[in-house]
Amino acid sequence: MKNIDMNFFAIEIKKLAAEYQSGKVLQEVKADVDGLIQSIRESIGPDKKVQIEQWSILLEALEGYRNSRADPAWSIVISHAVRRIKSRRSSAKFSRRRFAGKNPSTYK
């Protein structure tokens, strides 16, 4: 398994949230977040188990940036990233169950 620092990617998402707070257009920031998530996916590789683990690590890292008192602009970008990452993780879980031929109840 590759050693990937998910905290680095969490910080990059944080930087994108700050760019939106500073006046960058939301659609551009969301596109940048999506591009970053795609590059993370390519870095992780095709192993679904590794994907699930890495996406979970990234979600945990982003939890520290979610705050009910945060600027709404900040929250929009972080929430967008969390939704996209959860979707990637769910897809990896589904794919792993489907193609591994294992009992689906054994996966979280």
Side-chain angles (χ1 to χ4, degrees):
M1 180 171 111
K2 296 178 190 176
N3 187 12
I4 301 170
D5 182 12
M6 286 304 186
N7 287 320
F8 169 79
F9 291 112
I11 291 169
E12 291 300 311
I13 291 170
K14 179 181 171 184
K15 288 178 184 177
L16 291 170
E19 286 181 17
Y20 178 54
Q21 257 184 309
S22 298
K24 190 171 179 181
V25 177
L26 179 59
Q27 287 74 20
E28 291 177 18
V29 173
K30 284 184 174 183
D32 291 344
V33 168
D34 294 344
L36 178 63
I37 291 171
Q38 180 59 31
S39 70
I40 296 168
R41 163 62 186 87
E42 292 167 2
S43 297
I44 294 172
D47 186 338
K48 300 304 178 193
K49 182 178 179 185
V50 173
Q51 286 180 19
I52 294 166
E53 291 169 0
Q54 294 298 318
W55 291 130
S56 296
I57 291 168
L58 183 54
L59 284 170
E60 285 179 32
L62 287 175
E63 282 303 315
Y65 301 134
R66 297 180 89 179
N67 184 335
S68 63
R69 295 178 302 251
D71 185 296
W74 174 274
S75 298
I76 288 170
V77 175
I78 299 298
S79 294
H80 174 76
V82 166
R83 277 192 309 275
R84 295 296 174 131
I85 294 164
K86 283 183 177 180
S87 175
R88 292 286 182 139
R89 185 178 66 178
S90 294
S91 295
K93 286 179 181 180
F94 175 78
S95 180
R96 183 166 185 227
R97 278 183 259 157
R98 182 172 181 203
F99 296 113
K102 305 276 185 183
N103 182 357
S105 64
T106 61
Y107 302 111
K108 293 182 181 178

